[in-house]
Amino acid sequence: SPHAQAKMVTTRRQSVGSGTRSPRARSASRGRSASPKARKPKTPAKKKTSSATTPKRRKSSAIAKKTVSWSDTAGTGVDGSGFFRALGALLLLLSTPPFTLALWSIFVQYKGSTTDFVAFVSDSGNWPAFLASLPTLSWEATTYIAAFGVFEAFLQLAVPGKAFIGPISPKGNRPVYKANGVECYFITLVAFFACWKYGVFNPARIYDQFGEMLNALNIFGNVLCLFLTIKGYAFPSSSDSGSTGSFLFDYFWGTELYPRIGKHFDIKQWTNCRMGLMGWSILPLCFMAKQMENVGYASNSMLICVVLTNIYVFKFFLWETGYFCTMDIAHDRAGFYICWGCLVWVPSVYTSPALHLVQHPTNLSTPVAAAIAGLGVLMIYINWAADEQRKIFRATKGKSKVWGKAPKFIKAKYETGDGKTKESLLLISGWWGIARHFHYVPEILGSFFWTVPALFDHAMPYFYVIFLTILLFDRAYRDDARCAAKYGKYWDAYKKHVPYKFIPYIL
């Protein structure tokens, strides 16, 4: 997926090892006193320690040619303009909302059988009956969404939490977040079970109204994206904003990196973390309640799916401050791609294994169930351990231990949009010495283990695993392109130490 920024300015980057500075660097230096440091970068002195690695000067294929500046493309290093990018955005805008309803129909009306669904809709004579069977809108469904959204917004603002300063943005800004994800997660679960126990609402009704909820979420998600697009034009929250020159692409990709309402309510934190991820923990519980209503018990296949999903979501909130430093928050803008995706695509696709199991109450043998659950927990732990290792390494500025040893890393310099030179540490040991995106492997395997209790009678429950694999592979390639544009020769040196993307010697 493409990235965009306010001004798509193509700049001629200097070749590494050349003494010529870019026009932007010369302009910035004229605004400062002509000190020796400004005229000639000081070569860092050699240190005896071997923990930090300094790359040799050589030409970088990523920046030796004419490229788009990292800071001028929201940190992506790629230009968001062009016919094919706009065409791709248009196709996703038109296809994904109806697909969420088709997915609902397959799981709820056709019990997960894609074959039966396709056979029915491929006959044009069935279209009136098919269209009549699709969900519409209901006050009940809309009330559930509104109540949940308002409750999560209240928790985001009201629950105490430490201030977390996010990474430096492409334009040199540093957003501040309230780190209260774990507290909000447990409060949400307690509120959910209390409402269930005391009859405030029947969670099985969420399954009954799920199609209507997807319709309401689709409408709300698109209205929100329109609001965010106009907000980025008229009253952005920071300088990390602007237009690509195409309203279509602006709507799809977003016009702001960190949109906020007031000073404290971060919209992306609400859509991604509180609505998307928190909803992902609650919806499988509602589907389990529906299975219990249907057959009188929760099958162990459903329990494995629900428990593993909630362990993963708890892991996410335990690591939420690390998420604030990832591509979703720090580089992808708040548009249809991210915000509609978290509001609609996550509830529709990510919860689909549990949605399928409602009508398939399979009980696995105890050894098989234990093996699936154990392997799922192991994969979630490895994914968390890798992310946590890098988070601690960054927080301590390289002074933490990695697998009991001093970490190995590269000191990488880069330039922000305001002309300032910054430094990042690229970890090349521990989990991050195995492969550049090794942490995606246990994440994909974890999703497989909370899906495999559905067994293999139908293929559609595995759509989520397939989608996640494609998403993370695409993210890995986009991240590599962004880092190449951002770090240049330092990234080339990093790839020498960690040459593989996912699996050593294979991929």
Side-chain angles (χ1 to χ4, degrees):
S1 300
H3 293 257
Q5 178 59 308
K7 293 182 179 180
M8 291 303 166
V9 181
T10 303
T11 61
R12 190 177 300 275
R13 302 292 300 273
Q14 73 176 68
S15 298
V16 175
S18 169
T20 306
R21 292 179 295 164
S22 66
R24 183 172 60 187
R26 289 197 301 269
S27 176
S29 66
R30 282 197 295 268
R32 299 189 294 264
S33 59
S35 65
K37 286 186 178 180
R39 292 192 299 268
K40 185 177 180 181
K42 187 176 179 180
T43 304
K46 293 183 179 180
K47 296 183 179 181
K48 292 182 180 180
T49 178
S50 59
S51 296
T53 304
T54 302
K56 294 180 180 179
R57 288 183 174 272
R58 68 181 188 84
K59 287 194 175 183
S60 166
S61 58
I63 62 170
K65 57 186 180 180
K66 189 175 182 180
T67 64
V68 178
S69 168
W70 169 79
S71 62
D72 285 334
T73 56
T76 66
V78 294
D79 193 335
S81 61
F83 172 76
F84 289 105
R85 292 192 185 280
L87 179 62
L90 180 62
L91 290 175
L92 288 173
L93 287 168
L94 295 177
S95 64
T96 48
F99 181 82
T100 59
L101 291 180
L103 198 63
W104 168 86
S105 179
I106 291 170
F107 284 120
V108 175
Q109 297 179 321
Y110 295 90
K111 298 184 178 181
S113 175
T114 310
T115 304
D116 291 348
F117 173 80
V118 172
F120 187 82
V121 299
S122 60
D123 185 349
S124 59
N126 295 327
W127 288 0
F130 172 71
L131 293 175
S133 71
L134 291 177
T136 54
L137 289 172
S138 74
W139 282 112
E140 183 181 359
T142 305
T143 301
Y144 290 146
I145 294 169
F148 184 75
V150 170
F151 180 68
E152 291 303 324
F154 171 76
L155 293 183
Q156 182 177 326
L157 290 171
V159 174
K162 292 183 179 179
F164 176 79
I165 301 175
I168 300 171
S169 75
K171 292 298 183 182
N173 300 307
R174 298 204 70 177
V176 179
Y177 303 93
K178 185 190 288 186
N180 59 2
V182 173
E183 295 84 352
C184 292
Y185 172 73
F186 283 114
I187 292 172
T188 299
L189 285 183
V190 169
F192 171 80
F193 285 111
C195 289
W196 187 1
K197 178 177 176 59
Y198 294 106
V200 177
F201 87 112
N202 178 9
R205 287 295 297 165
I206 300 296
Y207 177 87
D208 298 333
Q209 290 285 306
F210 193 50
E212 286 81 359
M213 289 175 67
L214 289 176
N215 271 334
L217 284 169
N218 263 306
I219 294 172
F220 173 71
N222 278 282
V223 171
L224 177 64
C225 292
L226 180 61
F227 164 75
L228 291 174
T229 304
I230 296 172
K231 179 183 179 306
Y233 291 153
F235 45 99
S237 300
S238 74
S239 57
D240 288 287
S241 59
S243 172
T244 65
S246 165
F247 179 82
L248 174 66
F249 199 82
D250 287 346
Y251 180 84
F252 174 77
W253 194 245
T255 52
E256 284 193 86
L257 193 56
Y258 302 110
R260 297 194 171 188
I261 297 177
K263 183 179 179 181
H264 300 292
F265 187 71
D266 188 272
I267 295 176
K268 277 171 75 176
Q269 185 179 7
W270 180 73
T271 57
N272 297 24
C273 305
R274 300 301 186 260
M275 291 295 286
L277 269 293
M278 205 73 78
W280 188 13
S281 73
I282 296 298
L283 285 172
L285 290 167
C286 296
F287 300 156
M288 182 182 71
K290 183 63 179 180
Q291 189 186 73
M292 294 170 66
E293 183 179 270
N294 287 345
V295 299
Y297 66 91
S299 64
N300 63 6
S301 57
M302 176 67 87
L303 287 171
I304 290 170
C305 180
V306 171
V307 170
L308 287 180
T309 298
N310 270 274
I311 291 174
Y312 179 85
V313 173
F314 169 70
K315 181 272 306 181
F316 170 85
F317 285 113
L318 197 63
W319 170 76
E320 187 180 31
T321 54
Y323 180 67
F324 296 147
C325 304
T326 64
M327 180 174 283
D328 283 1
I329 298 294
H331 302 289
D332 289 345
R333 287 183 169 195
F336 182 91
Y337 174 76
I338 281 290
C339 295
W340 179 91
C342 290
L343 288 170
V344 187
W345 191 258
V346 168
S348 171
V349 175
Y350 287 38
T351 67
S352 59
L355 185 66
H356 175 79
L357 287 170
V358 170
Q359 300 186 63
H360 300 272
T362 305
N363 276 309
L364 308 171
S365 67
T366 300
V368 171
I372 292 173
L375 289 171
V377 171
L378 177 62
M379 292 302 106
I380 295 170
Y381 170 77
I382 293 174
N383 175 251
W384 172 82
D387 286 330
E388 186 72 4
Q389 185 179 79
R390 183 170 61 177
K391 187 179 84 169
I392 294 173
F393 168 78
R394 287 172 170 172
T396 60
K397 298 182 179 179
K399 296 179 181 179
S400 60
K401 294 287 185 180
V402 172
W403 288 355
K405 299 178 181 179
K408 296 180 181 179
F409 56 89
I410 291 174
K411 291 183 177 180
K413 294 183 179 180
Y414 64 96
E415 187 177 299
T416 58
D418 54 5
K420 295 180 181 178
T421 299
K422 304 291 183 179
E423 183 178 84
S424 289
L425 304 182
L426 307 180
L427 182 60
I428 57 175
S429 60
W431 295 108
W432 302 93
I434 296 175
R436 299 197 293 276
H437 305 282
F438 174 77
H439 62 309
Y440 289 158
V441 176
E443 185 164 357
I444 293 169
L445 290 175
S447 71
F448 172 79
F449 285 118
W450 67 65
T451 303
V452 77
L455 301 181
F456 300 99
D457 293 334
H458 299 285
M460 208 58 185
Y462 295 89
F463 174 76
Y464 165 64
V465 182
I466 295 168
F467 163 76
L468 181 67
T469 303
I470 295 171
L471 173 72
L472 295 182
F473 271 58
D474 170 72
R475 183 174 295 176
Y477 280 92
R478 289 194 295 121
D479 191 48
D480 278 11
R482 177 185 65 82
C483 290
K486 180 178 180 179
Y487 297 121
K489 65 176 181 179
Y490 301 101
W491 186 250
D492 290 339
Y494 173 74
K495 289 199 296 183
K496 277 190 172 183
H497 288 280
V498 190
Y500 296 97
K501 273 188 170 69
F502 302 102
I503 303 173
Y505 308 105
I506 297 177
L507 186 63

